[in-house]
Amino acid sequence: MSRRDKLTGIFADTSRELAAANFSGQGDGGRVLAGPVRTMGLALDRMDQEARELQEALKAGEKVVELDPELIDGSFVRDRLDGEVTATDHFVRSIEENGQEVPILVRQHPDLEGRYQVAYGHRRLRAVRLLKRKVRAVVRKLTDNELVVAQGIENTARKDLSYIERALFAASLESHDFSRDVIMQALSTDKTELSKLLSVAKGIPSGIVKAIGAAPSMGRRRWMELAEKIAEPKVLETARNAIQKPEFGPLSSDERFMLVLAEVTKKPQREQTVSEWKPHDGKVAGRIKDNGKAYTLSLKTAGADEGFGAFLTGRLDDLYADWQASSKSKQE
């Protein structure tokens, strides 16, 4: 039985279980529990993509060979923030149980004889290396342009990269002096969108991006909002302070992003000013505190001036009316 047949059977079984759960009232308010179904659907979509890649390679007359993973280096342009895999990852366990059914794409290393360089399949390479197995690969002659285009198109087809990863990939390609046409081709995007990607990548310091991570649910609008806000030095400092908070680390990548955005969106509190008032003669003194929201006047009186506080209180209505009239005349 092929891997796809196995997963199709699992998908069908899962669908039946979910239907039974909802029919028996175990679902949340009778709603369909779509999460597992959606996950399995994505797995099947990925398998379709992988099968097409393998078929295209075989049609082109390319052979699948087995290589020592220790002889293979990553692409010279990184496209992921969260690229590490562990033995407990579902992705690794799947390869351990079913084997590496889809080869990676590599080229002969342009500078190191006897070594190779990945165009795409970095996670598969890491998984196989972790399992201490040979990696199945297609070796193709690729220029630098062809490598990054293959790398970008593969990620776009799989929809694996988050918005910020796409932005960083674009910026990295630009820093390697690739033309805008090549970058647009690699990212399957147009000139306008590419400009926005580069703007975000350049507007947010790498330290903040690495601390937040890929934030897969955060799209262009939110990343652009963050980039615009931290353009102000004081707000940038607020963002840097946010990633140092004790509660920041344990959060998911999306939650870390939202924490930073919430911090930089807060209106800065006005610093409290304190002043004192005292007439040239008399035994009264005032202390005034103003933080923008509260205005506090405290009086100290003695002797003949002890009644000044009561006098002032009795004149508040008149003073307020005078202030309103003065404000209105200024506006006119």
Side-chain angles (χ1 to χ4, degrees):
M1 182 182 291
S2 70
R3 185 184 175 202
R4 179 175 178 82
D5 290 338
K6 290 179 183 177
L7 282 178
T8 302
I10 295 172
F11 177 69
D13 292 341
T14 303
S15 298
R16 285 193 291 270
E17 290 173 5
L18 290 171
N22 281 282
F23 180 76
S24 62
Q26 295 177 14
D28 181 11
R31 291 177 296 175
V32 177
L33 304 178
V37 176
R38 181 177 180 274
T39 300
M40 189 60 67
L42 292 173
L44 292 174
D45 288 343
R46 171 168 288 194
M47 287 174 55
D48 284 337
Q49 173 65 24
E50 291 175 344
R52 285 194 293 272
E53 291 171 5
L54 180 57
Q55 290 172 2
E56 289 172 4
L58 295 177
K59 285 180 181 179
E62 296 172 325
K63 295 181 180 179
V64 178
V65 298
E66 291 191 341
L67 300 174
D68 181 350
E70 299 305 323
L71 296 177
I72 304 174
D73 298 318
S75 169
F76 58 91
V77 181
R78 185 169 181 176
D79 55 16
R80 292 183 184 276
L81 286 170
D82 305 322
E84 297 304 317
V85 295
T86 66
T88 59
D89 289 348
H90 175 75
F91 179 72
V92 177
R93 294 201 306 270
S94 176
I95 292 180
E96 184 178 22
E97 294 172 5
N98 302 296
Q100 181 204 341
E101 297 190 358
V102 178
I104 67 174
L105 177 63
V106 302
R107 69 173 179 177
Q108 297 281 352
H109 200 292
D111 303 316
L112 302 173
E113 186 175 353
R115 296 192 66 81
Y116 301 88
Q117 194 171 56
V118 180
Y120 60 73
H122 289 80
R123 291 181 71 240
R124 274 168 275 173
L125 174 63
R126 283 189 282 270
V128 171
R129 184 178 287 149
L130 193 64
L131 295 170
K132 300 186 184 303
R133 298 180 181 182
K134 296 280 189 179
V135 63
R136 301 179 70 231
V138 170
V139 183
R140 184 183 298 171
K141 289 184 178 180
L142 296 169
T143 64
D144 285 353
N145 282 6
E146 290 169 338
L147 183 143
V148 298
V149 168
Q151 182 178 351
I153 289 178
E154 193 256 2
N155 281 321
T156 299
R158 292 171 178 272
K159 298 181 180 178
D160 275 339
L161 297 187
S162 67
Y163 184 82
I164 192 60
E165 286 177 316
R166 283 170 54 80
L168 294 177
F169 185 44
S172 182
L173 291 176
E174 186 182 59
S175 71
H176 281 83
D177 296 325
F178 285 98
S179 69
R180 289 291 178 98
D181 288 340
V182 170
I183 301 174
M184 286 189 290
Q185 187 178 357
L187 288 164
S188 301
T189 191
D190 57 27
K191 186 180 297 184
T192 301
E193 180 60 24
L194 177 57
S195 294
K196 293 176 181 177
L197 287 165
L198 292 173
S199 174
V200 167
K202 294 173 182 178
I204 304 176
S206 60
I208 292 177
V209 173
K210 288 178 182 178
I212 292 174
S217 299
M218 300 299 118
R220 179 184 67 193
R221 182 179 63 81
R222 290 193 180 277
W223 279 105
M224 289 189 72
E225 181 181 0
L226 179 59
E228 290 169 2
K229 288 185 179 298
I230 65 175
E232 184 180 338
K234 286 186 178 179
V235 181
L236 174 58
E237 188 62 27
T238 299
R240 287 184 168 138
N241 290 336
I243 65 177
Q244 300 299 325
K245 289 178 177 287
E247 64 269 28
F248 181 82
L251 299 174
S252 70
S253 183
D254 285 329
E255 290 170 336
R256 291 197 294 269
F257 178 93
M258 293 306 296
L259 185 150
V260 173
L261 185 61
E263 288 294 315
V264 302
T265 303
K266 288 180 181 177
K267 291 184 178 180
Q269 291 185 345
R270 176 176 165 181
E271 294 184 5
Q272 180 173 269
T273 61
V274 179
S275 58
E276 293 185 353
W277 168 80
K278 191 172 184 180
H280 295 296
D281 54 356
K283 295 181 179 180
V284 61
R287 185 176 177 84
I288 303 161
K289 296 180 181 179
D290 182 10
N291 64 8
K293 292 184 178 180
Y295 188 91
T296 306
L297 170 62
S298 58
L299 293 173
K300 286 185 179 181
T301 59
D305 291 337
E306 286 183 356
F308 179 69
F311 172 79
L312 181 62
T313 302
R315 295 290 305 276
L316 287 178
D317 287 340
D318 294 335
L319 290 171
Y320 183 64
D322 289 345
W323 176 80
Q324 284 186 315
S326 176
S327 298
K328 186 176 181 180
S329 63
K330 289 180 181 179
Q331 292 175 358
E332 293 174 350

